[in-house]
Amino acid sequence: GERSVLAGIPRNATIKVPSDGGAATVLEMVRPALRLLRSLKKFAEKVDDSYRNHGLANAIGKLQEETGGALTPLDLVSLGNVSHFMAYGKHHLLVLEGTPIDRIFLIRSGWVRRVRGVPIYVDITESTAPGSLVPEDFLGAGNCLGLEALQGQKTWAYSAALMQRTELLEIPLASLQAEPELCRRLGKAFGALSQADDDTGLTAQQNGRQLAAAEKEIGTGVVDGVNLLVMDMDLCVRCGNCSLACHKVHGQSRLLRRGIHIQRPVDLRSNHEQHVLVPSVCMHCKDPECLTGCPTGAIFRDLGGQVDINPVTCIGCFDCATQCPYNAISMVPREGEPAVAGGLMTRLRMLFGSSAPPVPVAEAETKPAPGAEPAAGPAAAPKAAAKPEDDMVAIKCNLCEHTPLNPEGAKRPAYSCEENCPTGALVRVNPHEYFDEVEKTLGLVFRDQTHAIGRNIHKSDPFAKAWHMSSGIMVLAVSALIGWAAWRYGFNESLRGGWLTMRWLTGLVGLGGIAVVMTYPLRKAIYRRRAGALRYWLIAHLYFGVLAGIVLLIHGGSHGGGILTMTLMIAFDVVIVTGLFGMAAYLIAPKILTSIEGEPLLIEDLEARRAELSQEIAEITSKAEGNARELIERKMRGHFFSLGYLLRQYARREALTASLAQGRLKFRNELAAIQDRAQRTAALKALERMATLRRVDALIFLHRLLKIWILPHVVSTSVMLVLMIAHIVQAVFFNVR
């Protein structure tokens, strides 16, 4: 079990004491003890040998499964005899271009970058975007390097370095070539494992945007998550319902809408890009640092594959919270609310260019207001947490296990954040399937089988398509039928000789549509149990709202009626207008936000940054003199704080650096006319702060646009419902009388 313990991976065997045998005596060493014992040289060597031997046996066994009859049992034995199971750290140079090929590598786990034409240095392997002049690609588990030597190639045509800790099967070429028949069969079997490694000359044209996305996905490690939470920011309406849902289910939010931002091409044949946010929430890593570093073994991987924390054995030492590279673990008092703080002002200063020293961020409130970001995220250091005498415990996302959302015997897992996202922006995925630019670089062998994860609704959501299609047909059919019936029979003529008229029929149908519409806010208040994904309820809310609107407009006809009826129709019109405005805002505003903000930002951070920039501008202006002060107060302020400059942020959607460059160009002559160098520098600083402040204002206005319609929509709906009840009572009273 040392591989499971040291690497934090699931066990690949079940061991039992035979029922027909005697008793067995077992010495059990938990992870902390094993880690301490490895400080003993002989013990460490034994564990290392055992790890390599079992790793080699596991790799050979996996090859036997995938190659089928391509390799005989004797071939596999021979391969095991000549092979070495090796593990290398990040940045290890595996092969060097131009040197002789002396071995074949089969990647068991990890990632390799290949480069041709230049040496590989650390600064190249750490870059966030590949150079356009250097053809390169990435290879994952199941790919081979060096198979070209079996076809007669003598030297490496590329260099290859590791992007993270990687396990390899190394096969010395001389030993392999000593057995020509094995050499032939092995080349054929290995060549069929993957097509990604076939381009040994790196001559294929690569898509730069795709390579940049793949590099960030691999470099940040998100692609190696077992169960990854992703948010499509073009769909996210910044409502905060995902964090609120997590807070409602667990008592503390374990999801913070900050994290790793990835821009990736949606399709290689289009210029459209998807903006993905991987928020600060546990991704249940394949090789979790928190698990391997826990001193008491409180963090474990359960039978389903997810990583969880046993609060009974957690001693609140903060090791896991400080070691997690994704800020996914929070420290909270055992009894009470989280004692953690939010805010990323340092990153905002980097994004929006401030030279001012960092300003402390106030501690976040533990109980969120509706729609606000609940307190979440890790403690940056023990000093940010509660007092030492407080009893702390680590918490993180446990995929809503042991909650009413996942009762015993449930056929599929449910996650509160995903279930309560109104637009489907948030989904849990297998990253190898979601990021197809990485998926195609994996071979067939050694692909980890993750536990059950829901559909990738960002790529295809057939249930939503069926909802849209059936609901659209229903609205058109019912509207056309009622319109035809009203034209054919009139409004006040009795249908079939009874009391039912088209006036009553349209009223009843409209009332039924409104009743269905009102189920959405009722569903929105359900967090702790399954009630169907909120995104499908929103679709029903929209279409039945449209249907009710059309039918009730037909019901009202061309005459207004009394004051009550007239007021009811006005309230109904306001509901329709605010609802349509909200639909338009949800469709348009998120796309504009993602295109101009660079990285997803919370409105709380933007407002804090705006206050900071305003203070800086005021200080610079107060110290400016003469021509510099006049330039700042009159010309710059008038230009940057104009409505036209604000609208330009939305129309052009240019990078902030481009806006700053154009601002400096516009006032180039005025700046050059200032003789005093210090005053000229101050005026230039004011220009940059004003341009940045207007960019922050543009983002804040978009955030508010997504919510500004909600209050009038709710108020007008409430007024409409009250008036509708009065109208129904009035209509029934007069009809009976």
Side-chain angles (χ1 to χ4, degrees), residues 494-541:
S494 175
L495 300 176
R496 296 180 179 271
W499 61 271
L500 187 64
T501 64
M502 283 303 300
R503 184 79 66 187
W504 275 98
L505 183 61
T506 52
L508 291 172
V509 173
L511 183 63
I514 289 176
V516 175
V517 166
M518 294 309 298
T519 60
Y520 175 73
L522 297 176
R523 160 62 186 89
K524 201 169 183 292
I526 299 173
Y527 295 101
R528 292 185 54 80
R529 59 183 177 83
R530 296 191 181 199
L534 187 63
R535 58 185 179 271
Y536 302 133
W537 287 79
L538 181 60
I539 294 173
H541 177 79

Side-chain angles (χ1 to χ4, degrees), residues 624-699:
E625 300 173 355
N627 293 341
R629 189 183 188 107
E630 182 179 356
L631 175 61
I632 294 171
E633 289 186 335
R634 294 188 179 182
K635 295 186 178 180
M636 287 185 181
R637 190 174 291 275
H639 173 71
F640 290 113
F641 293 159
S642 66
L643 178 62
Y645 191 82
L646 176 67
L647 295 177
R648 170 180 164 178
Q649 307 298 310
Y650 305 130
R652 296 193 179 183
R653 306 183 195 179
E654 58 193 358
L656 180 59
T657 52
S659 294
L660 293 174
Q662 290 179 359
R664 288 190 289 266
L665 184 63
K666 178 177 179 61
F667 294 100
R668 178 180 57 184
N669 295 332
E670 290 87 342
L671 289 168
I674 300 174
Q675 299 299 321
D676 187 275
R677 183 175 180 180
Q679 292 295 314
R680 186 167 61 247
T681 302
L684 184 59
K685 271 189 176 182
L687 181 151
E688 293 174 348
R689 300 299 184 270
M690 288 180 181
T692 304
L693 177 59
R694 211 52 175 159
R695 172 60 61 90
V696 173
D697 283 339
L699 293 173

Side-chain angles (χ1 to χ4, degrees), residues 27-46:
L27 174 63
E28 180 186 41
M29 288 178 286
V30 295
R31 185 181 303 106
L34 189 62
R35 188 168 59 249
L36 291 171
L37 287 168
R38 289 188 71 191
S39 61
L40 304 174
K41 183 179 178 182
K42 289 187 177 181
F43 185 86
E45 290 174 353
K46 285 289 185 182

Side-chain angles (χ1 to χ4, degrees), residues 17-29:
V17 177
S19 57
D20 56 350
T25 302
V26 178
L27 174 63
E28 180 186 41
M29 288 178 286

Side-chain angles (χ1 to χ4, degrees), residues 49 108 129 196 248 291 302 397 399 562 638 703 705:
D49 289 342
R108 187 193 180 281
K248 292 285 187 181
L291 186 150
D302 70 8
C397 172
L399 301 178
H703 273 273
L705 181 68

Side-chain angles (χ1 to χ4, degrees), residues 233-234 238 275 585 587-598 649-651 653 698-699 702 705:
M233 299 310 293
D234 287 336
R238 280 70 170 175
H275 297 259
L587 289 172
I588 298 171
K591 294 179 174 61
I592 300 177
L593 263 172
T594 54
S595 64
I596 67 175
E597 68 184 346
Q649 307 298 310
Y650 305 130
R653 306 183 195 179
L699 293 173
L702 281 174
L705 181 68

